[in-house]
Amino acid sequence: MSKMNRRHFMQILAAAPLTSILSVPVAAAGAAPKRVVVVGGGFAGATAAKYLRRLDPAIQVTLIEPLTTYTSCPLSNEVVTGHRTIESLQIGYDGLARRGVELLHETVTAIDPVKKSVTTQGGQTLSYDACVVAPGISFDYASVEGYSEEVATRIPHAYKGADQTLLLKQQLEAMPDGGLFVISVPKGPFRCPPGPYERAAQVAHYCQTHDKPKSKVLILDANDSFAKRVLFEQAWAALYPGMIEWVSAAAGGTVERVDADTLTAVTTFDEHTAAVLNLIPRHTAGAIARETGLTNAAGWCEVVPMTMESAVHPGIYVVGDACVGGTAEFPMPKSAHIGMTQAKVAAGAIVAALNGLAPPVPYYANTCYSLVAPDYGVSVVQVYRVEDNQFVYVEEAGGISPVDALPIQRKLEAEYADGWFKNVMADAFT
Amino acid sequence: MCKIRLHAPLVRALSAASLLICLNVSFADDGKIAGLAATCNNCHGMDGVSAGSSMASIAGQSREYLETLMLEWQSGERFSTTMGRLLAGYSNDEIIALAAYFAEKPWVPAVQELDAKLVRSGKFATERCAKCHGETGAEPDGEDTPRLDGQWLRHLELETLKYRDESITLPHKKMTQNMRKIKEKDVPAVSVFYASQTGGQGESE
């Protein structure tokens, strides 16, 4: 019976001419179209723009993003180690343009939450009915003495942008056998919580397979634990025995100063001179979020759980790495995946608000894969719900891959990481 | 008033546009599941049509199959990697509604490059599969049987790997037995054959 229904449905679809989709006047004749301005074209911003158009084609959506090509951070560790090309992580904005999103490749210099307008470096001012702020993160270079944006062109963070990823790749390739690869992890929260530890595994794998077996990876951490810790420690020990060392904050892992000329990371108790120094500075919400007054004392944007609307400025919705969601015990991770679900919630809430309707039920979830070897993936899942307008972490769900998982699960999760990636790219940008 | 303005044209155009059906469903009182379904798109593609070869397209699978699979994952009866951990966060009603939602979406065969020689030997290799999945994989017989025609090759290969891996137990005994009976040399052809059965819709140029 369901087959009949499906066939019937397909026949109906096939019979409908495309023009009838486009010509349906959703907005009342004569009314000025509502406009939503999206600031930032990463996974979250792109998803918001797309789903706004998809949910209500009568809304005019403008996405403002300085770059014309987006480079994914997810899976970029694989570029560092040569398992995939940087091009495989890149995508343009044509797909969004085809959905009727207006693109403005510019930098936003000001958002006025009272006048409801956005101003760009080029001097354009766009008024909005709703604004989505998705600027991602900014680095607090001053968090490590001696570090700066300029020094980062020699000592990469490799945590944002193609140039940084490629710089770290070149440095790893040039590293002599026996060289020490140091990863400095900032005090959380930072984007992609398992990223540094996955990177350590992949660098160790690279060294094993590229004539650098005597090299070691040293993680200097400003935190006392980390995402998927038990799984990473298990994999490090099994696959890369003696190659990866982790120093917690309590053990003096916090890097306080860097000597850029000697590649020396100075911690609370010690000094480590590296062959390759990968220094990830502290993060805050993207600069425009701070300048607009959307951030709290810790530098992140608090939101209304039902809608993703800013807790500070009504009419502005903050999605992606810049926002803070979840609970104190289980904060939402800063991942592309959950940023996209936040963006879908915001899009639904905005369409509802602009049409005088109540917001739909919000759904937030995260799935995050880490590759510790080409055939060895591990994951973490989080599910959040909203009750009484508060985020609730669903404890019955979620969690990390089992510690005692069978080899086939590790293999499958590595395979699914690739399928996940292709789908999030397509879901956000096309 | 706004509600009327939004919905009246939708009713007229319901037959036409998936995007309008989506708008309708998003805001109708009984259709809140569209918001949850949108989270599935992250991994399974827009409206359940996957863009990544290891991930299954789920649009247009039967409601019964999707429901059975998801409920088995949710309860832990069926081995899964991440699906069990996700679905534990949702009610049975939500899962049943999700199954119905994706079952109503059109089945879209994947466009992918396949080894023509393997496709030719697939007819013979899939002899024991046809009874339940149908000759082309398009006519599954039961509530826990998926359609396979035009599914992503890599996904089919990984499912095959799962059923043939003796370290895990999957609930469908007949399927497990049959998969393990297939000769090693015939295995590659099975997935390629079903991936190729697109009725001309998924041919790559």
Side-chain angles (χ1 to χ4, degrees):
Chain A
M1 228 182 83
S2 67
K3 270 184 253 168
M4 286 304 294
N5 290 342
R6 192 166 61 236
R7 285 203 191 106
H8 184 55
F9 183 75
M10 286 171 75
Q11 281 161 7
I12 290 169
L13 263 191
L18 186 66
T19 47
S20 69
I21 299 174
L22 304 174
S23 61
V24 175
V26 172
K34 303 282 189 189
R35 181 197 250 169
V36 180
V37 175
V38 181
V39 179
F43 280 106
T47 300
K50 170 182 165 176
Y51 276 76
L52 281 162
R53 290 288 304 163
R54 189 171 179 254
L55 291 171
D56 187 351
I59 295 177
Q60 191 185 343
V61 178
T62 305
L63 174 66
I64 310 179
E65 160 60 44
L67 302 176
T68 53
T69 300
Y70 183 70
T71 305
S72 162
C73 285
L75 271 57
S76 63
N77 282 335
E78 285 190 75
V79 174
V80 173
T81 54
H83 280 97
R84 71 171 59 233
T85 63
I86 195 82
E87 291 79 13
S88 74
L89 301 184
Q90 293 179 324
I91 192 161
Y93 293 91
D94 300 356
L96 293 179
R98 279 194 291 276
R99 289 190 176 268
V101 175
E102 291 169 19
L103 291 155
L104 201 52
H105 292 296
E106 275 240 49
T107 301
V108 171
T109 51
I111 301 171
D112 186 331
V114 178
K115 287 184 186 153
K116 295 195 163 188
S117 67
V118 171
T119 304
T120 68
Q121 201 160 32
Q124 289 197 60
T125 298
L126 292 83
S127 59
Y128 63 77
D129 294 291
C131 180
V132 177
V133 174
I137 53 119
S138 285
F139 293 115
D140 178 11
Y141 291 102
S143 60
V144 177
E145 191 189 334
Y147 202 45
S148 67
E149 195 169 356
E150 189 278 320
V151 173
T153 61
R154 287 172 282 144
I155 297 178
H157 50 73
Y159 234 59
K160 187 185 198 175
D163 292 348
Q164 282 283 314
T165 301
L166 292 173
L167 180 60
L168 188 62
K169 172 186 165 67
Q170 287 161 12
Q171 293 185 352
L172 174 61
E173 285 167 355
M175 185 173 79
D177 185 19
L180 180 68
F181 190 105
V182 174
I183 303 173
S184 166
V185 184
K187 180 92 182 131
F190 51 88
R191 62 163 38 167
C192 189
Y197 316 96
E198 179 196 58
R199 180 172 289 173
Q202 293 199 18
V203 167
H205 184 268
Y206 179 91
C207 292
Q208 257 184 0
T209 52
H210 289 77
D211 295 325
K212 304 181 202 292
K214 295 204 250 343
S215 283
K216 287 195 163 52
V217 182
L218 176 65
I219 305 169
L220 300 174
D221 208 323
N223 306 281
D224 284 324
S225 192
F226 54 92
K228 306 177 191 169
R229 178 176 174 182
V230 60
L231 296 174
F232 278 119
E233 289 182 335
Q234 178 188 40
W236 292 344
L239 304 173
Y240 314 113
M243 289 183 79
I244 298 173
E245 186 190 348
W246 176 68
V247 184
S248 70
T254 305
V255 172
E256 294 173 343
R257 190 163 65 80
V258 63
D259 183 333
D261 295 328
T262 59
L263 297 186
T264 303
V266 182
T267 62
T268 322
F269 305 134
D270 219 337
E271 289 188 11
H272 304 273
T273 298
V276 175
L277 180 52
N278 171 208
L279 204 170
I280 307 165
R282 282 181 81 150
H283 299 12
T284 63
I288 191 68
R290 277 183 283 128
E291 289 156 11
T292 310
L294 294 164
T295 47
N296 61 16
W300 304 101
C301 305
E302 290 174 21
V303 292
V304 177
M306 273 300 287
T307 58
M308 295 306 294
E309 191 169 18
S310 162
V312 182
H313 292 308
I316 294 179
Y317 297 72
V318 188
V319 294
D321 293 348
C323 78
V324 53
T327 64
E329 195 184 352
F330 298 100
M332 284 184 176
K334 300 191 180 303
S335 74
H337 193 106
I338 205 157
M340 288 173 67
T341 68
Q342 292 163 352
K344 290 170 189 180
V345 168
I350 290 169
V351 169
L354 296 184
N355 287 286
L357 301 170
V361 177
Y363 285 102
Y364 302 100
N366 185 50
T367 308
C368 157
Y369 295 98
S370 299
L371 284 165
V372 294
D375 261 351
Y376 192 128
V378 293
S379 65
V380 65
V381 169
Q382 285 106 346
V383 178
Y384 295 89
R385 307 194 72 124
V386 176
E387 283 169 22
D388 301 327
N389 207 25
Q390 299 291 316
F391 286 114
V392 175
Y393 176 78
V394 182
E395 299 205 29
E396 297 77 19
I400 57 172
S401 312
V403 175
D404 58 353
L406 300 159
I408 187 167
Q409 173 151 1
R410 305 292 191 224
K411 154 120 186 113
L412 287 168
E413 294 203 22
E415 295 268 357
Y416 294 155
D418 180 70
W420 168 87
F421 173 70
K422 292 197 172 83
N423 275 310
V424 287
M425 288 289 265
D427 192 23
F429 293 95
T430 65
Chain B
M1 223 179 92
C2 291
K3 195 165 183 171
I4 292 164
R5 195 186 71 205
L6 192 75
H7 283 236
L10 283 168
V11 173
R12 288 201 301 275
L14 198 60
S15 65
S18 59
L19 59 93
L20 293 178
I21 289 169
C22 177
L23 191 152
N24 184 36
V25 170
S26 294
F27 300 106
D29 293 339
D30 59 350
K32 63 174 188 175
I33 209 65
L36 178 54
T39 68
C40 307
N41 294 354
N42 276 31
C43 295
H44 290 283
M46 197 62 192
D47 291 331
V49 179
S50 176
S53 57
S54 62
M55 290 288 184
S57 280
I58 54 175
Q61 290 286 11
S62 75
R63 184 177 58 75
E64 293 85 345
Y65 167 68
L66 292 173
E67 203 178 292
T68 304
L69 200 65
M70 285 194 281
L71 291 173
E72 285 177 356
W73 278 331
Q74 185 207 34
S75 70
E77 187 185 347
R78 176 182 283 261
F79 165 85
S80 72
T81 52
T82 52
M83 285 307 295
R85 283 180 271 157
L86 275 166
L87 290 167
Y90 304 106
S91 69
N92 284 17
D93 286 349
E94 283 170 320
I95 288 172
I96 287 164
L98 267 186
Y101 180 90
F102 283 106
E104 280 184 17
K105 301 284 174 199
W107 175 255
V108 180
V111 177
Q112 52 192 332
E113 279 181 30
L114 300 168
D115 182 332
K117 204 176 141 199
L118 278 177
V119 173
R120 283 194 295 275
S121 55
K123 190 86 192 150
F124 170 77
T126 56
E127 244 175 358
R128 68 176 75 243
C129 317
K131 197 174 162 199
C132 300
H133 291 279
E135 235 174 87
T136 64
E139 286 172 336
D141 70 341
E143 63 184 27
D144 53 358
T145 314
R147 68 182 291 176
L148 306 174
D149 53 317
Q151 183 58 277
W152 281 106
L153 172 62
R154 192 68 192 135
H155 175 73
L156 293 173
E157 287 173 344
L158 293 173
E159 288 301 297
T160 305
L161 198 69
K162 263 192 239 174
Y163 275 101
R164 288 171 67 82
D165 190 304
E166 296 191 358
S167 63
I168 51 176
T169 309
L170 292 160
H172 203 305
K173 275 190 192 148
K174 197 163 65 172
M175 175 69 182
T176 306
Q177 283 165 2
N178 276 308
M179 287 305 281
R180 290 180 189 172
K181 276 182 197 159
I182 296 172
K183 291 196 179 87
E184 196 64 42
K185 69 175 178 59
D186 291 333
V187 167
V190 174
S191 300
V192 172
F193 176 79
Y194 284 123
S196 75
Q197 300 300 299
T198 63
Q201 290 180 65
E203 301 297 322
S204 62
E205 286 171 18

